[in-house]
Amino acid sequence: MTAEGLTNVKRARSEGCIETGVRDLPHEQAAASPQRSRLAETNWDLFRLFFSVAQSGSVNRAARALGMSQPTLSRRLKELERNVGAPLFFRVSSGVKLTQEGEELHRSAEEMVRSFEAFHRDLSLRVGDRSTAVKISATEGLTKHWLLPRVKKLRALNAQIRLEINSTVEQQNLAASDLDLVIRIGHPGDNELVGRRVGTIAFGLFASAGYVEEHGAPKTLDDLVDHDLIGRPVDYVEAHRARTGPIKLLNAFNAAQNARNTLNLMPVANHFAATAEGLGLAFLPIPFAVAEGLVRVLPEETAILDLWLLRRRETDLRRMTRQVWRFLETEFANTKSWFAAHKTTQKRLHQVA
């Protein structure tokens, strides 16, 4: 650029006749950018307060409805006005009236508030539905003989509780199943669970009266190789991880399976039915098998496994889950003797403790 051209540019700049980018924007336009930024960052709560005052037409009445002091509400409204960059109210004898900017904001705020209220109602409904549902996983036998007989008592405590019971001996993926509480026999399993041991449960060998009459009962564990057996080692894999360590009865039962044809069937609940049909001997929880009317063989041989009540850490946030947890803890404490198969309690609990 020539010296003359440079001089003309300098003159034009000094007279405000040439655009030079953001640094040379008019003062009002340059100031608008931080104003827009403040408005965009405005706390949603300020719009809610503004809408309440606009609806009531009075700062005092709105403050009472909102449960806050009038000076605090006025201060919050001033904050919103600073962020908007315009007055939103002017005082009248009856309270306050909206300015033109206030009217514009009110129309926009009304749409936001109505949408938020609809969202809140929908969310409360969805969250409420899940929060009243308590999802429990337990074995089939425990569900049938212990948990279901206690449902009426639990409903009497809180009629709003909705129970979802998943009966399976398999350890489930808790995240995928969205389970709240888990009752397990043997080893507690997942590290994602917290809880405590609530007792022990006794296992023994059982047959039907017809099977014993036809084949006789084993006299020792070594005699198991001469009998038909129901089940397979994998069905009791968690038993091997119990705190009691290797279990003599279960080990002998599993070893005998290699010498005989064994009836394998799932779920494990069918072991009770197969035993009742006289198809062989089965390794079963004593209180459940007694309740099914099965005959215990080798009564001196017992395996004791731990009984665990577990939960996911996150479920403590749900009030219903906490209530069901406390209920189950109490019920387990009241039925420890039954689970342990003490002779005086080897009967089905017809009445809930």
Side-chain angles (χ1 to χ4, degrees):
M1 182 180 293
T2 63
E4 181 180 358
L6 182 58
T7 301
N8 290 338
V9 169
K10 290 181 179 179
R11 185 182 301 116
R13 284 183 176 174
S14 65
E15 294 172 358
C17 300
I18 188 170
E19 295 184 0
T20 59
V22 175
R23 289 174 299 174
D24 296 303
L25 286 174
H27 175 72
E28 293 81 8
Q29 190 174 348
S33 181
Q35 190 70 47
R36 286 195 299 270
S37 177
R38 286 198 300 271
L39 183 58
E41 296 174 1
T42 298
N43 191 310
W44 156 252
D45 195 52
L46 295 180
F47 293 108
R48 180 180 65 87
L49 300 179
F50 162 80
F51 186 74
S52 180
V53 174
Q55 289 294 97
S56 65
S58 166
V59 175
N60 288 330
R61 285 195 294 270
R64 286 194 296 271
L66 293 167
M68 59 194 308
S69 67
Q70 183 272 333
T72 298
L73 179 55
S74 295
R75 184 170 63 254
R76 302 297 303 277
L77 293 174
K78 287 292 184 184
E79 180 183 349
L80 178 60
E81 288 179 322
R82 285 194 299 271
N83 290 349
V84 172
L88 302 175
F89 300 99
F90 56 85
R91 303 234 173 225
V92 295
S93 58
S94 59
V96 293
K97 186 174 177 61
L98 291 172
T99 63
Q100 182 175 343
E101 294 92 339
E103 293 282 2
E104 295 292 340
L105 180 58
H106 181 255
R107 280 191 286 271
S108 298
E110 183 174 21
E111 183 178 348
M112 287 190 296
V113 170
R114 300 303 180 209
S115 296
F116 183 78
E117 288 176 348
F119 163 76
H120 187 267
R121 286 192 298 270
D122 181 65
L123 180 62
S124 297
L125 180 62
R126 294 174 183 271
V127 170
D129 284 345
R130 178 59 183 92
S131 293
T132 57
V134 180
K135 299 183 178 183
I136 304 174
S137 175
T139 66
E140 297 95 331
L142 199 149
T143 297
K144 177 180 179 181
H145 295 292
W146 188 85
L147 189 54
L148 291 182
R150 282 158 178 76
V151 170
K152 286 184 179 179
K153 184 176 181 181
L154 181 57
R155 284 176 173 170
L157 294 177
N158 192 329
Q160 293 182 323
I161 293 176
R162 296 185 298 111
L163 289 178
E164 297 183 21
I165 301 174
N166 191 330
S167 297
T168 175
V169 74
E170 300 293 333
Q171 290 197 11
Q172 299 170 282
N173 184 303
L174 295 184
S177 305
D178 194 21
L179 293 171
D180 295 310
L181 305 177
V182 177
I183 304 172
R184 283 189 178 155
I185 295 173
H187 192 275
D190 310 71
N191 292 329
E192 59 186 303
L193 296 176
V194 295
R196 68 186 190 89
R197 189 171 65 90
V198 289
T200 58
I201 182 168
F203 278 69
L205 293 181
F206 285 85
S208 69
Y211 179 90
V212 173
E213 183 178 351
E214 181 178 354
H215 301 280
K219 299 293 192 295
T220 67
L221 290 176
D222 292 336
D223 294 340
L224 292 181
V225 296
D226 299 322
H227 286 268
D228 297 324
L229 304 178
I230 300 168
R232 53 184 180 167
V234 69
D235 297 333
Y236 312 103
V237 64
E238 289 305 311
H240 290 290
R241 300 169 59 191
R243 69 183 178 91
T244 51
I247 298 172
K248 177 183 177 183
L249 173 58
L250 181 56
N251 289 341
F253 183 82
N254 290 337
Q257 290 178 326
N258 297 324
R260 299 281 298 193
N261 287 328
T262 302
L263 175 61
N264 296 325
L265 70 165
M266 291 294 287
V268 173
N270 288 331
H271 293 187
F272 292 93
T275 305
E277 288 292 330
L279 301 180
L281 308 179
F283 178 82
L284 298 172
I286 295 174
F288 307 159
V290 170
E292 295 278 354
L294 299 175
V295 177
R296 188 176 179 190
V297 300
L298 294 176
E300 69 281 3
E301 298 291 347
T302 302
I304 303 297
L305 304 183
D306 288 335
L307 192 60
W308 292 85
L309 178 60
L310 306 162
R311 61 175 172 78
R312 296 173 60 184
R313 292 178 174 83
E314 302 86 351
T315 58
D316 248 7
L317 296 173
R318 297 189 178 114
R319 181 178 62 84
M320 292 291 190
T321 303
R322 296 197 302 271
Q323 186 173 8
V324 174
W325 171 274
R326 290 192 295 269
F327 172 81
L328 294 179
E329 274 190 319
T330 301
E331 292 299 306
F332 275 122
N334 292 337
T335 53
K336 280 187 175 181
S337 295
W338 183 72
F339 277 112
H342 292 167
K343 290 184 178 180
T344 57
T345 59
Q346 286 186 13
K347 296 179 181 180
R348 185 170 183 176
L349 296 182
H350 294 289
Q351 294 184 344
V352 177

